[in-house]
Amino acid sequence: MTGDARPTAPARPGRLSGRLVAGWTALRRRLPDRRRFRDHLITVGWLAGFWSLLWGEFTWGNLVGGALVAVVILVFLPLPRVTFGGRLRPLALAELAGRFVVELIVASVQVGWVALRPGRPPRNAIVAVQLRVRSDLNLALTAEVLSLVPGSLIVEADRETGTLYLHVLDVRGAEDLARNRDRVLALEARIVRSVGSAAELRLVSSHTTNTETGGTP
């Protein structure tokens, strides 16, 4: 056997593990972010659901159309990333949907009565409600649900302070203003119980307890 070829020494375990870690890191950078994909999937689901509510019925055509509209919005009109740090709670989500249907029916009857009853025209008002959980997701979900209920409309949302400005119909005094504020905060609590994180749930519960005991929220 001729030549100066020498047997190659096996790679050291430390060097080999370093190469494996570097290769795995490069591969993970090329793969899509699973958390980002989950956030987009949840956003598409919510938008498709509200699209169906705007049409007034849940059909496969409305769901598919809403999903396509949501994808177009995410691709061509990207919004600031809204992370989802909570978890879905099926029982609380079912309660949220049930209460929403009840409030939708009651509000529709009330608005119809206000439009048909004789006498002076109703007085309207703008109510400012500062939410307890100041996240973009909570602000958007609360505003969207409120806007779907007849007789209430979001006219402005302050992202910095987490405040919603709500236009309400048929306000007769300070009690009606307080009742509408409580209604918004109760809706926020149901949303947080449905999809919020443990920290957000504790925050809403602590504020509710302080309010009931007369403390400072």
Side-chain angles (χ1 to χ4, degrees):
M1 182 175 181
T2 61
D4 297 334
R6 298 180 180 178
T8 304
R12 296 181 180 179
R15 183 180 301 176
L16 180 61
S17 60
R19 291 179 179 177
L20 291 176
V21 171
W24 172 247
T25 303
L27 180 61
R28 288 188 60 183
R29 290 177 180 176
R30 296 180 181 179
L31 293 175
D33 187 356
R34 289 185 298 177
R35 179 175 296 180
R36 187 177 183 85
F37 176 78
R38 183 193 64 177
D39 293 343
H40 285 170
L41 188 62
I42 293 173
T43 302
V44 169
W46 275 105
L47 291 176
F50 282 111
W51 177 268
S52 299
L53 288 175
L54 291 175
W55 281 99
E57 59 179 347
F58 286 94
T59 62
W60 284 111
N62 287 340
L63 290 175
V64 173
L68 292 177
V69 171
V71 171
V72 170
I73 292 175
L74 290 177
V75 173
F76 296 101
L77 300 173
L79 298 173
R81 183 178 180 182
V82 178
T83 58
F84 177 72
R87 65 186 184 90
L88 295 177
R89 302 176 180 87
L91 294 180
L93 192 60
E95 179 187 359
L96 173 64
R99 291 290 296 272
F100 171 74
V101 172
V102 172
E103 290 185 359
L104 190 64
I105 297 174
V106 173
S108 300
V109 174
Q110 291 176 345
V111 171
W113 168 244
V114 170
L116 297 176
R117 74 183 181 189
R120 297 165 57 182
R123 297 175 57 188
N124 304 328
I126 303 294
V127 183
V129 184
Q130 187 176 40
L131 302 182
R132 293 157 294 191
V133 178
R134 301 181 185 179
S135 67
D136 292 340
L137 181 61
N138 182 63
L139 189 71
L141 292 180
T142 306
E144 289 177 355
V145 175
L146 286 172
S147 297
L148 292 173
V149 177
S152 61
L153 180 67
I154 299 297
V155 296
E156 186 178 351
D158 191 339
R159 183 183 179 190
E160 296 296 329
T161 62
T163 302
L164 293 176
Y165 294 88
L166 180 69
H167 179 274
V168 292
L169 182 66
D170 194 23
V171 176
R172 301 183 181 181
E175 293 182 357
D176 290 337
L177 296 176
R179 185 172 63 252
N180 279 282
R181 290 192 184 95
D182 294 339
R183 180 170 65 91
V184 175
L185 294 178
L187 172 62
E188 180 201 15
R190 291 195 294 272
I191 291 176
V192 171
R193 286 196 296 267
S194 301
V195 297
S197 63
E200 293 172 345
L201 190 59
R202 288 193 299 268
L203 179 62
V204 170
S205 300
S206 63
H207 276 263
T208 302
T209 303
N210 290 334
T211 304
E212 292 176 351
T213 57
T216 302

